[in-house]
Amino acid sequence: MEFTLSEANVLKMTIKIKNMPNLNTIAKNTWCPGCTNFFILTAFNKAVEEMVAEGFDKDKLFCAAGIGCHGKIADYINLNSCIALHGREAALASGAKLANPELTVVAFAGDGDAYAEGIEHLVHLAKRNSGISLFVHNNQVFGLTTGQATPTSPKGYRGRSTPFGSIDEPLNPLLVLLSSGATFVARAYAPDLKETQALMKRAMKHRGFAVIDIIQPCITFADTREHFRNHVQWLDPNAPRDDFEAAVKLIRQDGEKTLLGIFYEVAKPTFEEQA
Ligand code: SF4
C-alpha cells in the first residue's frame, strides 16, 4: 500500500529533532489551556527520561497514537512515532512489535478511539498477550469533535449526540481487557503525576499486553475534576496482584471510590516471542 501526502491525516510522520536535550518538540501545542492531557505528556516524558538515565536507548522506543485530542501527543514527543487510523493505534503498535521485537512499543489512545472503534483490536491483542503498552486517555467524551458520548460516558451524560442524556450504561473497559487475557491491567488519574509516571514505567517494562486506563478529565466538554479529586484512591503499589478473581473485584469498584493502581500483573509468554 502506498501513502501520499494527501493521506497525511491517515498516517502522519512527525518531524523530529535530533539532539534535543529532552523529549520536547517544536510543534505548537493546541490542547486547550489547562487540559489534563498535559499531565499525561509530562508523566510519560519523565518516565522515559528515567529509563534513559538507567541505560535505556530511547531510539528503541516506538509510539503510535490514534485520532482524537490525545493523538496530538505523537507531535509533542521527540521519539519515533506515528498516528494511526481511528482506533487502530494498538493494532499498528502490535505490528511494529512483531516486525521488530527488540522495540519497546507504546500505543496512546482515547476512550472513544480505543473503546468504540478500536475495541475489537484490543480484545484480540489482550487475548494473544501482544507485548505492547496501551495508555488510554479516558476523558469519557469525544473531545476533538466537541462533546459526543463515548462508551465510557456516564449514564445521563448530556452532549451533542445525547442532548437528553445518555441512556447507556458505561463500559468497564478494564474488565473487558482483563477477561480477554491482558497480563498488566491498571488505572491512573492524570493529575496524580508521580503515580501515573511510575505506572507508565512499570507498564513499559512489562512483558506482555499492558493497559493503563488513565482518567483524564476534559475540562472543556466533561469536566470531572471535582468528582475525581474527591473519589480516587490509590492501591498499594507493592501488593502482589496475580489473583484474577481479586482483580475482577477491584476493577468492578462497586464502592464509592474509584480505585487506582495495578489490579493484575502476571508474566506469560508474549505473542511475538512465540511467533
Ligand atoms: Fe483537552 Fe478536552 Fe480540550 Fe481535548 S477538548 S484538548 S481533551 S480539554
Side-chain angles (χ1 to χ4, degrees), residues 42-265:
T42 304
F44 177 71
N45 281 356
K46 285 182 176 289
V48 173
E49 282 166 11
E50 239 177 68
M51 287 164 61
V52 169
E54 292 164 6
F56 175 72
D57 178 1
K58 73 181 170 75
D59 286 340
K60 293 226 167 107
L61 181 54
F62 172 74
C63 302
I67 301 296
C69 293
H70 84 276
K72 300 174 185 175
I73 201 167
D75 286 341
Y76 306 149
I77 47 176
N78 188 23
L79 293 167
N80 301 311
S81 61
C82 72
I83 294 177
L85 285 166
H86 209 351
R88 272 62 183 179
E89 57 287 330
L92 190 152
S94 179
K97 181 73 177 174
L98 184 60
N100 185 354
E102 299 290 305
L103 295 176
T104 295
V105 179
V106 172
F108 292 96
D111 52 308
D113 180 56
Y115 300 149
E117 282 88 344
I119 190 71
E120 74 279 19
H121 293 293
L122 302 190
V123 167
H124 289 277
L125 294 174
K127 170 177 162 288
R128 57 173 49 171
N129 196 32
S130 179
I132 66 167
S133 301
L134 173 68
F135 299 154
V136 184
H137 303 220
N138 184 356
N139 54 20
Q140 305 174 302
V141 71
F142 280 105
L144 192 67
T145 48
T146 68
Q148 295 80 7
T150 71
T152 53
S153 297
K155 190 167 186 179
Y157 169 75
R158 288 174 187 265
R160 284 182 186 253
S161 59
T162 53
F164 304 109
S166 168
I167 55 176
D168 285 6
E169 290 292 340
L171 182 75
N172 187 328
L174 294 185
L175 205 51
V176 173
L177 295 179
L178 176 74
S179 55
S180 301
T183 50
F184 182 106
V185 180
R187 185 185 295 122
Y189 179 53
D192 289 347
L193 196 60
K194 280 197 172 158
E195 291 87 348
T196 304
Q197 173 188 339
L199 269 190
M200 285 176 154
K201 188 175 166 191
R202 198 150 150 185
M204 285 189 276
K205 291 185 168 191
H206 177 72
R207 187 176 141 226
F209 188 79
V211 54
I212 308 178
D213 182 65
I214 307 171
I215 298 168
Q216 177 255 307
C218 167
I219 63 168
T220 305
F221 298 108
D223 192 352
T224 52
R225 284 175 297 177
E226 185 65 27
H227 169 79
F228 283 113
R229 194 179 295 131
N230 298 312
H231 288 88
V232 291
Q233 181 182 329
W234 283 90
L235 299 168
D236 178 358
N238 299 315
R241 296 290 176 206
D242 54 359
D243 183 331
F244 184 89
E245 300 299 334
V248 169
K249 280 191 187 147
L250 290 173
I251 290 172
R252 287 177 72 97
Q253 59 174 72
D254 291 333
E256 169 158 327
K257 294 284 184 187
T258 297
L259 298 179
L260 306 173
I262 298 172
F263 302 121
Y264 192 59
E265 184 179 28

